[in-house]
Amino acid sequence: MLKKRVIVCLDVKDGRTTKGVKFQNNVDIGDPVEMAAEYYRQGVDELVFYDIIASARGRGPILDLISKVASQVFIPFCVGGGINTIDDIRDTILAGAEKVSLNSPAVKNPGLITEGARIFGNQCIVLGMDVRKDPSKPSGYGTTIHGGRVDTGLDALEWAKKGVSLGAGEIVLNSMDADGMRTGYDIELTRMIAENVPVPVIASGGGGTPQHLADVLKEGKADAALIASMVHSMGYTVGGIKDDLRKSGVAVR
């Protein structure tokens, strides 16, 4: 059985790590380079770096900061935000990322997924999804872009399947309803996507206790759980969370 992964997310705005609730009221919580080094020391399996305002501002990735973060971690490192072209993907990988997360650009230009996967390999292309409950959609969930500010009109399940068929090798599935709430992941959403795509699904949004991770990794069938607040400001360590997961019967790295 493949072991489950614990992934820390750094949301970055104007060069600083930030944290909000449902993408609102963000506060500065530190230097992403120092924080990346600390989580690496704690034994995190992967690191995700999201420039949360790049797409909204219409600019590319902040390569100098990506390079500084990459120099501190020797684990898979995924970068999202402002990656709009093949050149952006190439530059981000050359700056030290192993993977790129495409969210808003993938919706606007689905061919970017296919072309990116062809040139760099499926394992480098992650489909980022910001999903909200929407009773009008067949699956009960719709997708948003630009940090949740724009409704795409796409059904979440349909878009997940299409993204994978285009070449995405992994999905980061963020529940906008649970984001920053610390009340648990959306198990139903995660399980629905995980059961319908042949690639790893990373659950995101809502992690507040180790039990929340255990629930989404077991019941939600996620391959990995993404955390932020728990280690940024709630006193948990990556190692402590992994110990708790093992006690809950979850095989972790």
Side-chain angles (χ1 to χ4, degrees):
M1 187 178 77
L2 280 177
K3 292 186 174 177
K4 306 288 190 176
R5 292 169 285 155
V6 175
I7 301 173
V8 169
C9 177
L10 300 174
D11 285 333
V12 177
K13 180 180 179 184
D14 299 325
R16 301 283 292 176
T17 308
T18 181
K19 193 71 191 94
V21 175
K22 298 186 181 180
F23 289 34
Q24 303 289 318
N25 305 317
N26 285 70
V27 292
D28 184 322
I29 54 171
D31 176 359
V33 181
E34 290 172 9
M35 292 173 77
E38 174 57 27
Y39 298 138
Y40 176 67
R41 279 194 294 273
Q42 289 181 17
V44 73
D45 297 311
E46 296 187 20
L47 195 70
V48 173
F49 172 112
Y50 285 133
D51 184 333
I52 62 170
I53 52 171
S55 287
R57 288 188 179 169
R59 63 160 170 73
I62 31 181
L63 299 170
D64 56 334
L65 185 57
I66 291 164
S67 179
K68 285 175 188 166
V69 171
S71 72
Q72 299 299 313
V73 298
F74 302 93
I75 48 174
F77 174 40
C78 178
V79 173
I83 299 172
N84 296 296
T85 66
I86 290 297
D87 284 343
D88 288 339
I89 296 175
R90 182 179 288 107
D91 291 345
T92 302
I93 290 170
L94 289 173
E98 276 77 26
K99 309 176 188 180
V100 296
S101 179
L102 304 177
N103 187 334
S104 305
V107 171
K108 294 175 182 174
N109 175 20
L112 186 62
I113 301 174
T114 307
E115 190 70 353
R118 184 183 69 77
I119 296 171
F120 305 104
N122 300 64
Q123 78 286 347
C124 290
I125 307 299
V126 178
L127 179 66
M129 294 177 61
D130 289 326
V131 175
R132 249 194 209 108
K133 285 180 180 167
D134 182 347
S136 72
K137 297 288 186 291
S139 70
Y141 292 88
T143 58
T144 68
I145 55 173
H146 293 322
R149 289 183 287 273
V150 178
D151 185 347
T152 66
L154 294 168
D155 177 76
L157 179 55
E158 204 176 297
W159 176 233
K161 288 177 175 176
K162 184 176 180 189
V164 171
S165 74
L166 289 168
E170 193 167 58
I171 292 175
V172 173
L173 181 65
N174 185 43
S175 165
M176 297 292 296
D177 302 296
D179 185 79
M181 299 299 286
R182 308 178 184 181
T183 52
Y185 298 87
D186 188 326
I187 305 285
E188 187 186 339
L189 166 67
T190 309
R191 185 170 54 234
M192 175 181 69
I193 302 294
E195 286 180 342
N196 282 283
V197 296
V199 300
V201 172
I202 299 166
S204 170
T209 69
Q211 188 58 49
H212 291 155
L213 278 80
D215 291 343
V216 82
L217 292 169
K218 290 196 282 191
E219 296 168 39
K221 302 190 177 178
D223 296 88
L226 189 140
I227 54 174
S229 305
M230 286 180 70
V231 286
H232 294 342
S233 58
M234 295 176 68
Y236 288 101
T237 65
V238 175
I241 291 167
K242 284 187 172 184
D243 287 342
D244 283 335
L245 286 172
R246 289 185 192 103
K247 288 172 194 163
S248 298
V250 177
V252 290
R253 295 183 179 183

